[in-house]
Amino acid sequence: MKWWQKKVNRNTSGKNSRGKTVKLLSAAALALSLAFGASTVPVEAASSTHVAKQGDTFYLLSKKYGVNLNKLMQANPKIKATNIYPGLKIKIPTTSTVKSTSTAVMLPSLSVDSSNKVVEAWGKTFNYSKTISVKASAYSAAASENGGWGAVDYFGNPLELGTIAVDPKVIPLGTKVLVTGHSHPGLPKKAFVAVARDIGGAIKGNRIDIFIPGSQKSVSEFGFQNVKLFVIK
């Protein structure tokens, strides 16, 4: 059997199935360039160390402890944002290292200049070629949702925040988009940059499946939502 014939299905949100390829393909480097800001309120926790739990991300921890996201990541240079697992010890910058008044707080923002095809999100500006309205669902890294092949995308790369499954006939693999109109605690508010790195047997037409780090139960709360994509140039 050829490698491209080796497919398995998994259920997404209890109803959808998604094919996975066994062979790990080499993909062009696709960069997520959206920087997420967080409030720089003094840390309330007495301990400077956080023991990671299932579903933890730098973004969620920055919100939980009121620590600037960039400072949190700089305090943990050896920890990859895509490889935070239960039991991992994460250093939380203490109050003395966090500027609470002199550092500008970046709030979730989104504005669109449709006449010039420019969208601004989280203080960053993007040029876009078109918009696509789609119905979105979400999936986790659980093996039961990934055909038993593990938490990897179509190309064999680790699943990470910003990965979406698409119908390649509508949204070609490798396409970078700004996702807007969603609502889930595991996703940045207002907007986030995503790349089409996955496909799904049930993801046909104007449909996408958003990967969200976390437990199956928490991810399933996403349900189905109507979202708007800005195809970034």
Side-chain angles (χ1 to χ4, degrees), residues 7-21 54 136-154 159 163-165 184 198-203 207-224:
K7 301 272 187 172
V8 293
N9 294 324
R10 60 95 175 153
N11 289 327
T12 299
S13 300
K15 296 182 180 179
N16 302 326
S17 60
R18 180 162 58 86
K20 284 283 185 187
T21 180
Q54 180 69 34
S137 54
Y139 65 107
S140 71
S144 60
E145 294 188 66
N146 293 279
W149 296 108
V152 295
D153 61 22
Y154 179 83
L159 291 173
T163 296
I164 58 173
H184 190 277
D198 222 342
I199 61 174
I203 309 304
R207 284 273 285 109
I208 66 169
D209 210 6
I210 302 172
F211 170 71
I212 302 179
S215 66
Q216 281 183 285
K217 181 178 179 181
S218 65
V219 173
S220 68
E221 294 173 0
F222 184 92
F224 288 92

Side-chain angles (χ1 to χ4, degrees), residues 39-45 65-67 93-96 98-101:
S39 171
T40 52
V41 178
V43 179
E44 297 179 356
Y65 289 101
V67 180
T94 58
T95 346
S96 60
V98 179
K99 296 181 181 179
S100 59
T101 57

Side-chain angles (χ1 to χ4, degrees), residues 59 117 166 172 209 226:
Y59 172 71
K117 290 194 172 182
V166 301
D209 210 6
N226 294 316

